[in-house]
């Protein structure tokens, strides 16, 4: 069963997850981090920046893989995931740009962009900790409902709902790209630790389906139930539809001390 942490605020969630990343990179400076875009991981990145400024975090040897990218959006477009990761993490934390990998969404070479990305992950030794958000339809990365549970990095078509959800980042809904390149569910399941963040009532149904529903391609995040090490960090609003919410709170409060260590 997933480790479920229910906190009061996204800031508290950010501090919790950033603390875990700091412990991981202290014990393994050359750790490989999987990072996600969207608004949910932003409090984590905010806290990492605070720790970087204070000097309590050094990601100088850390390698980073992004989950996904839009296809056909120029790399330097403000909303390309390459730009978002650079702005949020790479520049403020002084990461080595040669250790930062974002799937290549440019049209040139798109045919084998997925395979190249998979081979880069393998060459880095696999992902130690993968941060995830969840779409309102249960997608992770850009693996929309119906995605194969064994899928690897590949091109996908975005659903109308995801394009609508993401339209807030663009000047008009028509500007949201129609295609993306995303790590597959099989890629994500290979990471050694999955950490999903979700906040707000709008995520409650997707979170409940992911954690307590059947494992099904109809809710791609439910594939996480197949993973041996998953942490899900929620606020109360995102936890409202969980049948086992009371148990998750109880289990977290009564966690054995030895489980605190990474
Ligand atoms: C996009 C990203 C996902 C992200 C999702 C939810 O579709 N590709 O990785 O999880 O949005 O975004 P938010 O956290 O802003 O709700």
């Amino acid at each position: 069963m997933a480790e479920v942490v229910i906190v009061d605020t996204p800031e508290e969630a950010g501090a919790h997850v950033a603390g875990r990343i700091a412990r991981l990179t202290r014990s393994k400076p050359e750790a490989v981090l999987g990072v996600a875009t969207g608004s949910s991981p932003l409090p984590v990145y905010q806290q990492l920046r605070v720790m970087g400024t204070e000097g309590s975090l050094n990601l100088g040897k850390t390698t980073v893989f992004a989950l996904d990218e839009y296809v056909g959006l120029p790399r330097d477009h403000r909303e390309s995931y390459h730009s978002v990761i650079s702005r949020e993490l790479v520049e403020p934390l002084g990461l080595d740009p040669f250790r930062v990998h974002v799937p290549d969404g440019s049209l040139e070479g798109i045919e084998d962009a997925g395979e190249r990305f998979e081979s880069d992950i393998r060459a880095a030794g696999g992902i130690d900790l993968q941060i995830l958000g969840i779409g309102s339809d249960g997608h992770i990365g850009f693996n929309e409902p119906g995605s194969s549970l064994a899928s690897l990095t590949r091109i996908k078509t975005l659903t109308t709902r995801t394009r609508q959800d993401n339209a807030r980042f663009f000047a008009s809904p028509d500007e949201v790209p129609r295609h993306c390149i995303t790590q597959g569910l099989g890629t994500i399941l290979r990471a050694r630790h999955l950490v999903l963040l979700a906040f707000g009532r709008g995520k409650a149904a997707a979170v409940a389906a992911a954690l307590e529903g059947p494992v099904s391609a109809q809710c791609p995040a439910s594939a996480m139930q197949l993973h041996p090490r998953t942490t899900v960090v929620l606020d109360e609003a995102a936890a409202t539809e969980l049948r086992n919410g009371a148990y998750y709170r109880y289990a977290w409060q009564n966690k054995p001390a030895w489980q605190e260590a990474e």
Side-chain angles (χ1 to χ4, degrees), residues 11 14 17-18 26 32 42 74 89 113 118 133 166 177 196 199 205 226 248:
E11 290 67 35
V17 176
R26 234 171 268 141
V32 180
L42 294 181
L89 284 173
E118 290 287 333
N166 290 3
L196 182 136
F199 309 117
L226 300 171
Y248 292 134

Side-chain angles (χ1 to χ4, degrees), residues 35-42 67-70 81 131-136 139-144 158 162 165-166 168-169 182 197-199 203:
V35 297
T37 50
S39 51
S40 307
L42 294 181
L67 261 182
D68 46 15
E69 178 60 287
Y70 291 114
Y81 287 171
I131 297 172
L132 296 165
I134 184 168
S136 58
H139 74 248
I140 50 175
F142 268 135
N143 294 281
E144 300 282 23
L158 296 173
T162 296
D165 281 353
N166 290 3
R168 66 190 193 276
F169 298 114
T182 180
L197 297 111
F199 309 117
K203 297 291 173 74

Side-chain angles (χ1 to χ4, degrees), residues 142-151 154 156 185 217-218 220:
F142 268 135
N143 294 281
E144 300 282 23
S147 296
S148 156
L149 302 188
S151 51
R154 70 222 183 284
K156 292 287 284 179
L185 295 171
Q218 289 316 309

